[in-house]
Amino acid sequence: GAIVLYPGNGGGGNLYTKNEYKDFVFRFDFMLTEGANNGIGIRTPMGVDAAYHGMEIQILDHDAPIYKNLRIYQQHGSVYGIIPAQEHVVFGDLGTWNTMEIHAVGDRITVTVNGRVILDGDIRQACKGHNVSEDGSKKNPYTVDGKNHPGLFNKKGHLGLLGHGAGIQFRNLRVLDLSAGRQ
């Protein structure tokens, strides 16, 4: 009854939705193992680094010792490199289920974990409309991570489970397409 990424199997991989989504609510349950690092790709093409060619919402055991030097934009629930989560999520014991909801309408992204809003921001405002550097360089002074995010303003794209190696489980995945019937 779950989609499982097992630790120790040599990495991960990405699993994408068949459909593309513009405005949506994506709800799911997840269970972390120690050191789990995963992401949820939103509005991303397939086969690319979703953190840069779409958006990646962090799913991470950010209190694990291996992440002691974690940057604020890498915390659980952050729009990776763009908007840090406003609240540090305190999870229950590892091996318990948590619920997450990603609400994306236009440039506004809201992330709720276990009933608590931890991120509510506008991606365009966060980088002052500059998802890529003005001078064409690889350094972008407008993003929190200082990198270009050419796919940040994608109008639509796939949702993806972006596995990075440590164990994580997902269940009860549901997508409400808010743009169905709209252009």
Side-chain angles (χ1 to χ4, degrees):
I3 296 172
V4 180
L5 175 63
Y6 292 102
N9 284 349
N14 298 337
L15 180 63
Y16 298 99
T17 58
K18 179 179 176 182
N19 295 333
E20 293 186 325
Y21 298 93
K22 178 181 177 184
D23 296 335
F24 59 88
V25 177
F26 183 31
R27 292 184 186 121
F28 54 91
D29 298 330
F30 67 96
M31 183 188 301
L32 299 174
T33 59
E34 186 174 347
N37 182 356
N38 203 88
I40 300 295
I42 65 173
R43 297 184 187 145
T44 184
M46 290 186 190
V48 298
D49 188 338
Y52 301 99
H53 297 284
M55 274 181 274
E56 181 176 345
I57 309 300
Q58 283 289 88
I59 295 187
L60 183 73
D61 175 20
H62 50 220
D63 292 325
I66 63 171
Y67 299 124
K68 66 181 178 185
N69 296 321
L70 198 67
R71 302 207 190 277
I72 188 71
Y73 62 82
Q74 295 172 308
Q75 291 284 331
H76 182 93
S78 296
V79 177
Y80 188 88
I82 303 298
I83 306 175
Q86 292 112 347
E87 287 198 40
H88 183 85
V89 177
V90 178
F91 298 109
D93 294 332
L94 293 176
T96 60
W97 287 101
N98 297 276
T99 300
M100 189 159 163
E101 177 178 295
I102 301 168
H103 193 134
V105 176
D107 292 336
R108 177 141 315 266
I109 308 296
T110 305
V111 177
T112 305
V113 177
N114 296 332
R116 187 176 206 156
V117 174
I118 62 166
L119 181 138
D120 185 16
D122 184 299
I123 56 173
R124 199 168 299 269
Q125 286 178 357
C127 65
K128 297 177 178 58
H130 299 281
N131 59 322
V132 295
S133 61
E134 293 176 292
D135 64 4
S137 72
K138 291 183 179 182
K139 293 186 178 185
N140 187 344
Y142 297 101
T143 59
V144 177
D145 67 355
K147 296 180 180 179
N148 290 319
H149 291 258
L152 182 64
F153 301 145
N154 291 349
K155 297 288 184 204
K156 67 178 182 174
H158 301 279
L159 301 175
L161 304 179
L162 312 174
H164 300 307
I168 190 165
Q169 295 185 44
F170 295 96
R171 70 177 185 189
N172 298 326
L173 291 90
R174 302 165 306 262
V175 181
L176 175 61
D177 187 349
L178 300 174
S179 55
R182 289 191 262 160
Q183 294 287 320

